[in-house]
Amino acid sequence: MKTILPALAAIFILLTATVSCRHGGGSDGSDSDSASHRFPDTLRVVTLYSPASYFIYRGQEMGYDYELVTALAVDKGLTLRVDIAPSLSRAVEMLDSGLVDLIAYEVPVTAEYKEKVVACGPENITTQVLVQPKRGDTELITDVTDLVGKDVYVEADSKYEARMINLNQELGGGIRIHPVNRDTMITEDLIAMVSDGELPLTVVDSDIARINKTYYNDLDITMPLSFEQRSAWAVAPDRAWLGDSINAWLNTDNHRSEQARLLKRYFELSKEEPGNSGFVSTAGRVSPFDHLFQKYAGQYDWDWRLLASQAYVESKFDSTAVSWAGARGLMQIMPRTAKGYGQSAKSVMNKDVAIETSLKLLRDLDKQLTPRVPDPEERKKFVIASYNSGLAHVLDAIALAEKYGLDPQKWDDNVAKAILWKSNPRYYKDPVVRFGYSRGRETFDYVNRVYAYYAKSKIHA
């Protein structure tokens, strides 16, 4: 299957029910907590779509839990099979019935789960925290009593609303709690609105807050509002030995270092676009590389100014840029995409290679979207969105738009609206959605920023 178009190949992989790969170069799998137990030749894992555990980004599987369990399989020379459950309760059922060996997802360490699972692997400790903006000399809230008289926006009927109601009662009242309809706004939206100054305060779990702070560096998330909650991976009670073996594997210097690297990648590294260009478009000049965009874009029937606008949003015209996800170069091409077009992660740092590879990808995305979006000008927005998130998520947004009465052939106010829903569990768990969670706001904003620069470039060029 490696000979088909890379974007199609990615979709083919993602359409399968499991992910299966044989990793060489590890041990013989004989490590165990006792002579009577060994790691299974095939490690059957279940996880859930989420911004931390598992998601698809530009056709590539990612997520803290997914990458850590993959490292385990590689090191032990195991075949890894990954299933995606629609809910935590279903994942526990799969574990109990013997369909899987391990839940690689944050299972709460509570009495509710104690009878059903044995905790193992990386421990995650979270609290609910206050999300507040850092604005110049404005003092931050550092004590819960300072919330009296303040407006706090939370998801309606959520644990955050319940916590704020209880806290308000403990303080004798005075906190103005605003429940927000969860069908239209979710945690990520509320965090973005605090960053933009549209809302004053919100409340989320600390792990979600940490991820989102990597997108919005102007936020403070240091104020805890609840007791700590522990969570970890889980195995079945009758396979506690497997949990011990995973703990033993994780409790070595090399693997602690790998865990620390992944924690930094997902919870600390800035997710803002790489690059820092001082270039300012002027009359007759859109970018520092106009000659290269013009040279290659004409060969692929693509507006060179639109391509230059993408390069600006992707890397600020920095051909040395490397993103948190590993996207590289002027056009921020993922290593898997580069390989699909016969290039290496190193070669796409070359400006010529990056531009031509991106045009090949844009051409292939355009071909695949033509049957769904006949209008060529309208289709460009779908293509650009697919370049950002991966075609799979755009196809999901088209399906959602069609189901919920929007025009599946129009981007603005239609599929663009549906792509935002891909961050909302109500929608990314919808039966018409095949590729789960995506940070839809990122794709929505990406298309808008590309076209804003494109409008400016048409004036200057």
Side-chain angles (χ1 to χ4, degrees):
M1 297 302 298
K2 294 181 185 287
T3 58
I4 64 176
L5 294 177
L8 284 175
I11 289 181
F12 175 82
I13 292 168
L14 298 179
L15 283 172
T16 59
T18 62
V19 180
S20 182
C21 53
R22 183 71 182 178
H23 299 290
S27 74
D28 61 5
S30 61
D31 291 1
S32 68
D33 66 322
S34 73
S36 61
H37 291 121
R38 300 172 45 156
F39 275 103
D41 291 336
T42 297
L43 185 63
R44 302 168 302 165
V45 174
V46 64
T47 189
L48 279 72
Y49 283 117
S50 81
S53 291
Y54 178 82
F55 57 92
I56 309 297
Y57 181 68
R58 297 192 176 193
Q60 189 159 317
E61 294 154 303
M62 301 190 71
Y64 168 71
D65 293 304
Y66 173 76
E67 288 204 48
L68 190 58
V69 79
T70 298
L72 168 64
V74 169
D75 190 61
K76 295 298 179 184
L78 310 175
T79 297
L80 178 66
R81 196 191 79 187
V82 180
D83 285 297
I84 312 301
S87 65
L88 182 54
S89 60
R90 176 55 186 157
V92 173
E93 289 174 4
M94 293 172 71
L95 188 69
D96 183 60
S97 63
L99 294 174
V100 297
D101 305 306
L102 172 69
I103 300 176
Y105 183 79
E106 292 72 39
V107 180
V109 181
T110 61
E112 177 186 357
Y113 291 102
K114 190 174 182 180
E115 301 292 322
K116 303 174 183 177
V117 304
V118 173
C120 67
E123 182 178 71
N124 186 32
I125 299 176
T126 61
T127 63
Q128 292 184 32
V129 297
L130 185 70
V131 179
Q132 55 185 321
K134 293 186 287 188
R135 299 277 190 268
D137 296 330
T138 304
E139 289 190 15
L140 295 172
I141 295 172
T142 57
D143 190 280
V144 292
T145 58
D146 294 333
L147 288 171
V148 175
K150 300 294 194 301
D151 295 283
V152 181
Y153 291 76
V154 290
E155 292 181 43
D157 303 318
S158 68
K159 62 182 178 181
Y160 310 125
E161 182 183 8
R163 176 58 189 143
M164 291 308 301
I165 290 172
N166 289 338
L167 182 59
N168 195 39
Q169 292 171 346
E170 292 168 14
L171 295 174
I175 303 175
R176 295 191 289 268
I177 303 168
H178 302 271
V180 179
N181 188 329
R182 298 176 77 179
D183 289 341
T184 56
M185 291 285 179
I186 61 167
T187 299
E188 289 181 358
D189 298 314
L190 299 180
I191 294 172
M193 293 174 79
V194 172
S195 176
D196 293 340
E198 299 175 48
L199 297 180
L201 303 166
T202 190
V203 179
V204 301
D205 284 331
S206 55
D207 54 347
I208 300 300
R210 287 175 65 196
I211 289 174
N212 280 273
K213 182 172 168 51
T214 64
Y215 291 93
Y216 309 111
N217 292 325
D218 59 350
L219 297 178
D220 180 88
I221 58 171
T222 59
M223 173 72 180
L225 296 176
S226 70
F227 293 113
E228 292 182 346
Q229 171 64 62
R230 294 172 57 229
S231 60
W233 291 357
V235 295
D238 62 354
R239 306 200 86 195
W241 61 267
L242 178 58
D244 291 338
S245 297
I246 292 170
N247 291 339
W249 174 82
L250 194 59
N251 194 31
T252 62
D253 289 342
N254 284 345
H255 303 127
R256 280 196 297 265
S257 296
E258 175 66 8
Q259 183 185 11
R261 183 189 71 81
L262 292 173
L263 285 169
K264 184 174 183 179
R265 181 182 200 184
Y266 287 99
F267 296 97
E268 296 177 27
L269 286 179
S270 174
K271 306 299 190 300
E272 295 181 340
E273 292 84 5
N276 183 24
S277 172
F279 179 82
V280 178
S281 57
T282 57
R285 195 160 180 240
V286 172
S287 79
F289 311 115
D290 286 1
H291 62 294
L292 293 178
F293 293 124
Q294 291 167 356
K295 173 183 175 181
Y296 290 104
Q299 300 173 24
Y300 292 87
D301 194 26
W302 195 260
D303 189 328
W304 72 270
R305 298 166 301 180
L306 185 55
L307 186 65
S309 301
Q310 270 191 275
Y312 176 77
V313 174
E314 288 286 352
S315 68
K316 305 296 189 297
F317 303 128
D318 181 359
S319 61
T320 68
V322 179
S323 80
W324 71 274
R328 293 170 178 268
L330 183 66
M331 301 306 297
Q332 288 293 277
I333 296 168
M334 295 290 281
R336 177 179 288 185
T337 302
K339 184 177 180 180
Y341 285 101
Q343 301 296 335
S344 66
K346 182 178 180 180
S347 68
V348 293
M349 302 297 280
N350 176 283
K351 294 184 287 292
D352 292 77
V353 173
I355 291 171
E356 187 160 24
T357 302
S358 68
L359 283 162
K360 289 177 180 177
L361 175 58
L362 290 166
R363 175 198 61 194
D364 293 340
L365 291 169
D366 187 74
K367 286 180 180 177
Q368 292 165 80
L369 283 162
T370 296
R372 296 174 181 272
V373 188
D375 182 81
E377 285 304 310
E378 187 67 28
R379 190 166 62 247
K380 286 178 181 177
K381 291 187 176 182
F382 287 76
V383 170
I384 289 169
S386 299
Y387 189 101
N388 172 258
S389 69
L391 178 60
H393 292 307
V394 173
L395 294 178
D396 276 349
I398 289 172
L400 283 169
E402 194 164 20
K403 178 172 181 176
Y404 291 97
L406 302 174
D407 189 337
Q409 297 183 2
K410 300 289 185 184
W411 180 258
D412 293 330
D413 300 318
N414 288 277
V415 178
K417 184 176 181 180
I419 201 77
L420 289 169
W421 297 342
K422 288 273 288 171
S423 301
N424 189 330
R426 173 189 169 185
Y427 294 102
Y428 72 69
K429 294 181 179 180
D430 191 287
V432 303
V433 171
R434 307 183 71 176
F435 303 101
Y437 169 88
S438 173
R439 192 176 177 86
R441 178 174 289 273
E442 179 182 336
T443 304
F444 179 90
D445 290 342
Y446 177 84
V447 175
N448 288 343
R449 284 183 286 126
V450 168
Y451 268 82
Y453 197 90
Y454 181 45
K456 202 192 307 184
S457 73
K458 288 191 287 188
I459 296 173
H460 293 156

